[in-house]
Amino acid sequence: MPSRLAVLASGRGSNLQAIIDHFDSLARERTAKVVLVASNRADSPALIRAATASIDIAHFNSADDGSELLALLKSFRIDLVVLAGYLKRIQPKVIHEYAGRIINIHPALLPAFGGEGMYGARVHEAVIATGARESGVTVHLVDDEYDRGPIVAQWRVPVSPLDTSESLAARVLAVEHTVYPRVVEMVAILQQLESKRTD
Ligand code: GRF
């Protein structure tokens, strides 16, 4: 049985699209399937992408103690929660219930250029401001600190002296689209093996 993925997104959803496309394009049997896309923003373009792909969508209140999101995840029997441009903190209640089963992607090489408020253009502006010669992509498990959970994959991306935050963001995003679906798949496979072992 493919793992049941929920993708949480607040914005444009290009990583969501890459994940959907990846699992659709597999020649072998699917290891995972996006069964729910949920957002804290009712007008998130990610919800439109999901609806176009005939995936169930939901809008939830992110200002409560996590009860609404948790009930949603449980009602869809979600195995793995994938954050793709989700800008709110995941409440401890949800992290506790889904420990080791929530992953996030960050557009820099954590632990550098991460933490509260470090998202979007701010990340790339900070990289350029420090004169760093490389940035990258980090996929990590989510715990109760912003961008601090165990790192499961990183990929380096060069920074050119001519880069603006927009050009760097575009180069990093293209790598995210390759890396994230494959890491999501790997985590789903490991999770399936682990749950067979403990059955
Ligand atoms: C990506 O850069 C991701 O690393 C970060 O938020 C952005 C989301 O972009 N967490 P998109 O909504 O997937 O296009």
Side-chain angles (χ1 to χ4, degrees), residues 50-94:
T52 306
S54 304
I55 296 168
D56 282 322
I57 60 175
H59 167 244
F60 63 93
N61 170 20
S62 58
D64 73 351
D65 66 348
S67 302
E68 199 176 321
L69 175 59
L70 195 54
L72 187 61
L73 297 175
K74 285 191 167 176
S75 72
F76 277 84
R77 293 176 288 113
I78 295 302
D79 298 308
L80 182 61
V81 180
V82 178
L83 308 187
Y86 179 66
L87 296 179
K88 297 285 182 181
R89 193 189 287 273
I90 300 286
Q91 298 92 333
K93 193 173 188 161
V94 181

Side-chain angles (χ1 to χ4, degrees), residues 9-104:
S10 304
R12 80 196 139 181
S14 70
N15 277 287
L16 162 69
Q17 192 68 56
I19 292 166
I20 294 171
D21 294 346
H22 174 75
F23 289 110
D24 277 353
S25 73
L26 291 182
R28 59 189 181 283
E29 200 179 329
R30 284 193 212 194
T31 44
K33 190 175 175 214
V34 181
V35 296
L36 171 68
V37 175
S39 184
N40 57 311
R41 276 185 46 202
D43 62 349
S44 167
L47 295 180
I48 297 170
R49 290 183 193 263
T52 306
S54 304
I55 296 168
D56 282 322
I57 60 175
H59 167 244
F60 63 93
N61 170 20
S62 58
D64 73 351
D65 66 348
S67 302
E68 199 176 321
L69 175 59
L70 195 54
L72 187 61
L73 297 175
K74 285 191 167 176
S75 72
F76 277 84
R77 293 176 288 113
I78 295 302
D79 298 308
L80 182 61
V81 180
V82 178
L83 308 187
Y86 179 66
L87 296 179
K88 297 285 182 181
R89 193 189 287 273
I90 300 286
Q91 298 92 333
K93 193 173 188 161
V94 181
I95 290 177
H96 182 253
E97 186 79 21
Y98 277 84
R101 296 193 291 149
I102 309 177
I103 61 177
N104 182 43

Side-chain angles (χ1 to χ4, degrees), residues 9-17 46 49 83-87 104-108 118-120 124 137-138 147 169 172-173 176-177 180:
S10 304
R12 80 196 139 181
S14 70
N15 277 287
L16 162 69
Q17 192 68 56
R49 290 183 193 263
L83 308 187
Y86 179 66
L87 296 179
N104 182 43
I105 189 161
H106 185 78
M118 282 299 258
Y119 60 87
H124 307 294
V137 166
T138 303
D147 300 329
V172 169
L173 190 66
E176 292 185 46
H177 295 163
Y180 206 18

